[in-house]
Amino acid sequence: MAKCTAVIDIGSNSIRLAVFQKTSRFAFHILHEAKSSVRLSENAYKNNGFLQPEAMERTALALGEFLSIARSFGARKILCVATSALRDAPNASIFLSRIRRNHDLSIKVISGEREAYLGGMACANLLPQIPEAVTVDVGGGSSEFTLLRDGKVEQLFSLNIGTVRIKELFFDTDNIAGAIEYIDEALKQLPRFDTTTLIGIGGTFRAITRALMKKEEYPLKKLHAYTTDETLFLRFTDQIQDSTPKKLRSLFIKPDRFDTIKPGSLILERIVRYTKSKTLICSGVGVREGVFLSDLLRNSGDRFPANYNPSVRYLLDTYGLHSTHAQQCAHLSKRLFELLHVSLGISPEHHRELSIAAKLLSIGVDVRYYAYQRHSHYLAMNTLDYALNHSQIALISHLLLFKKGHTSSSLVPKEGYGTLLPDNSTLDALSALLWLSHILLASRIDASEVSLRIEEGKLLVSGKHLYLAREQLKNIILPKNLIVVFD
């Protein structure tokens, strides 16, 4: 696979570009994103689906500049897919031929089922693992649904309900009742899913989520994996439906969404009610990531290896040039956790966060050694995006902060992500285990050289090359029921 790959997604409402850079076999990050609200399907639904000249001209101009951007990054592979607008248009071949002739670009028009698969597969790989959920991607012309079970795509559906389609057929004539009837009739094609978890993909869901997060003053600026409940979500979509443009602005809806946010929010409201969803999760990934992953993971069944996290691997690839010590800390912290988590009252579920924090312990060093813990914290907080929920990201990132003679709970910001962290005793205990592993390996020895055992409620540590560890132990505050003795 090319090290740098560009993916272009041509939708009914917008076209989007994402440039992906690989850092190792399965690890990657996004170098650049671009979006243009070309409204390719504008006035098409009023004209029997025929694409209009002005809309095709806008789209062609944007595509040309997207290609220029991709080439500026040295993209050696450019993958371009188109969805509902070109899928439905009787004159799609005219536009496709023009782009092939003028830009030497072949656009792959994908089916609704393939579109659903790509979005669902991206969620299965890049969201925290969920036993069962339904993804919904509300686009300009259609909405795609995928049933996910245990990380696998189970069922695919595509319905002709999209923001631009509903706007032109119903909202432009103020026929809201007709829109509801049309949407509800289309939804009858879906089965009654057993799951009550809905994952939202696409611009409409993200626009609503972004606005809701601002309204609720949510502490993290991360759309991906943001979770809310149906009551809060439906209350907000009701507000959107009843709002004037001035009121939409006060609800943090961006002006470029004013004409499609009401039909989009209505579609989502009817979907949430029909599926009886209780938990709603926002996905920051969708068709573009699905196209990229289908290429990246083509020889592994479209799935990452078990327990693989591309965000963690990217950080280690990029900032972990001196991560050998951190890897040894991960080994030692695991042993400490197994010995002490019961006596320290730490839930077993926190083992994963501790392990990831240990692996990322040294990433800040490659930014600057002095205050490297703060750099590590910043990098983790802003780069850990995939396969982790927001509480996990906050905990991992916070554990990387360290100040001599302070507990971890005393370093929690007064305003911010503190509400996402576990209780103070758990936080302090996890931090103590992490930084104890760092101190016991102060002489940069292998974790296997340190022996640990519990006797009479004390942690006995033995081994060679522990002089520096003895000296530095005073720098951390241990839980009251954790006594460390060098044997």
Side-chain angles (χ1 to χ4, degrees):
M1 183 180 182
K3 194 167 185 181
C4 185
T5 299
V7 177
I8 300 172
D9 171 18
I10 304 174
S12 301
N13 193 42
S14 304
I15 69 170
R16 299 171 184 266
L17 164 75
V19 182
F20 298 89
Q21 175 85 43
K22 282 183 63 179
T23 56
S24 55
R25 184 180 179 187
F26 292 126
F28 66 91
H29 68 121
I30 293 176
L31 286 176
H32 189 79
E33 285 188 329
K35 171 194 170 185
S36 179
S37 300
V38 295
R39 303 289 170 87
L40 178 57
S41 63
E42 186 174 52
N43 294 322
Y45 301 111
K46 296 177 179 178
N47 291 278
N48 299 314
F50 281 85
L51 300 176
Q52 301 302 295
E54 299 85 356
M56 289 193 283
E57 178 65 22
R58 292 193 299 265
T59 306
L61 288 172
L63 267 176
E65 295 190 15
F66 277 11
L67 292 172
S68 177
I69 292 170
R71 289 164 185 148
S72 77
F73 284 98
R76 299 180 63 181
K77 183 178 287 188
I78 299 175
L79 307 173
C80 182
V81 298
T83 54
S84 178
L86 286 170
R87 192 162 63 226
D88 297 343
N91 60 338
S93 60
I94 296 173
F95 180 77
L96 295 172
S97 297
R98 173 182 177 179
I99 299 302
R100 189 182 303 112
R101 181 176 62 253
N102 294 345
H103 297 295
D104 191 28
L105 176 69
S106 293
I107 299 171
K108 185 174 183 179
V109 181
I110 59 176
S111 67
E113 288 72 22
R114 180 62 179 171
E115 185 180 355
Y117 176 82
L118 291 171
M121 183 264 286
C123 290
N125 278 291
L126 298 177
L127 275 170
Q129 189 171 2
I130 303 164
E132 191 171 72
V134 173
T135 72
V136 56
D137 185 353
V138 176
S142 64
S143 294
E144 277 64 48
F145 300 79
T146 306
L147 175 63
L148 300 178
R149 186 176 287 121
D150 296 326
K152 295 180 181 180
V153 173
E154 292 282 337
Q155 291 178 279
L156 304 167
F157 304 90
S158 180
L159 306 180
N160 285 330
I161 46 174
T163 57
V164 179
R165 188 188 298 268
I166 297 300
K167 171 188 176 296
E168 294 189 1
L169 294 180
F170 300 100
F171 273 69
D172 285 355
T173 56
D174 200 29
N175 183 11
I176 311 305
I180 293 173
E181 183 180 356
Y182 180 91
I183 294 166
D184 289 351
E185 187 63 29
L187 290 175
K188 291 178 182 177
Q189 299 174 58
L190 298 177
R192 290 291 184 176
F193 302 111
D194 291 335
T195 179
T196 58
T197 300
L198 184 143
I199 298 171
I201 305 173
T204 297
F205 197 95
R206 290 174 197 146
I208 293 173
T209 298
R210 186 180 288 108
L212 183 58
M213 290 170 68
K214 288 183 179 180
K215 184 174 180 289
E216 297 295 314
E217 298 182 343
Y218 188 70
L220 291 191
K221 293 181 179 180
K222 285 181 180 287
L223 280 173
H224 189 60
Y226 170 80
T227 302
T228 188
D229 62 69
E230 94 286 1
T231 302
L232 190 61
F233 187 85
L234 291 177
R235 187 184 303 140
F236 193 59
T237 56
D238 285 344
Q239 288 181 277
I240 291 173
Q241 292 295 311
D242 294 336
S243 293
T244 61
K246 183 177 180 180
K247 180 64 175 177
L248 285 175
R249 195 183 297 272
S250 73
L251 291 177
F252 305 104
I253 301 297
K254 294 181 179 180
D256 65 349
R257 287 276 174 189
F258 281 2
D259 63 338
T260 58
I261 197 65
K262 287 190 176 185
S265 64
L266 179 64
I267 293 168
L268 283 167
E269 181 245 313
R270 305 312 296 175
I271 289 171
V272 170
R273 294 188 188 281
Y274 179 84
T275 57
K276 298 182 179 179
S277 299
K278 299 299 180 185
T279 302
L280 284 76
I281 302 170
C282 182
S283 171
V285 301
V287 171
R288 289 178 306 288
E289 287 78 11
V291 170
F292 174 72
L293 291 177
S294 68
D295 192 33
L296 178 72
L297 304 173
R298 62 187 180 276
N299 295 319
S300 57
D302 286 352
R303 299 184 73 181
F304 284 112
N307 302 315
Y308 184 87
N309 187 298
S311 290
V312 174
R313 187 67 259 170
Y314 158 68
L315 280 168
L316 293 174
D317 289 344
T318 308
Y319 301 101
L321 300 179
H322 306 286
S323 63
T324 302
H325 171 69
Q327 291 292 340
Q328 293 303 316
C329 286
H331 293 313
L332 191 58
S333 66
K334 178 181 179 181
R335 291 165 56 196
L336 287 167
F337 187 90
E338 291 171 348
L339 278 174
L340 299 166
H341 79 273
V342 174
S343 63
L344 294 178
I346 306 173
S347 171
E349 68 184 18
H350 289 306
H351 172 257
R352 185 185 181 202
E353 292 101 317
L354 178 63
S355 176
I356 292 175
K359 291 174 183 177
L360 301 180
L361 196 78
S362 304
I363 55 174
V365 171
D366 286 287
V367 176
R368 186 171 183 263
Y369 171 74
Y370 296 104
Y372 75 85
Q373 297 96 336
R374 278 190 289 140
H375 304 316
S376 296
H377 166 80
Y378 177 86
L379 288 169
M381 183 66 80
N382 290 279
T383 309
L384 287 176
D385 292 317
Y386 301 137
L388 296 166
N389 64 42
H390 287 190
S391 293
Q392 290 174 315
I393 293 170
L395 176 55
I396 292 164
S397 303
H398 186 75
L399 290 175
L400 296 174
L401 286 175
F402 177 80
K403 189 173 182 181
K404 187 188 300 184
H406 285 67
T407 62
S408 185
S409 57
S410 70
L411 302 177
V412 176
K414 292 181 180 179
E415 295 182 2
Y417 59 84
T419 55
L420 298 173
L421 297 174
D423 62 85
N424 286 349
S425 63
T426 297
L427 186 61
D428 291 339
L430 285 168
S431 178
L433 295 184
L434 175 65
W435 292 98
L436 178 59
S437 69
H438 169 68
I439 284 172
L440 292 178
L441 301 177
S443 58
R444 301 281 166 155
I445 58 176
D446 192 283
S448 62
E449 296 180 47
V450 178
S451 295
L452 305 170
R453 68 183 191 278
I454 300 292
E455 284 188 12
E456 298 178 354
K458 299 177 181 178
L459 176 66
L460 272 58
V461 182
S462 59
K464 299 178 180 179
H465 312 296
L466 293 174
Y467 174 79
L468 293 177
R470 293 171 184 266
E471 189 176 39
Q472 293 181 21
L473 184 62
K474 64 180 182 294
N475 293 336
I476 62 174
I477 296 179
L478 298 174
K480 291 181 180 179
N481 57 339
L482 175 55
I483 300 172
V484 178
V485 176
F486 288 93
D487 192 8

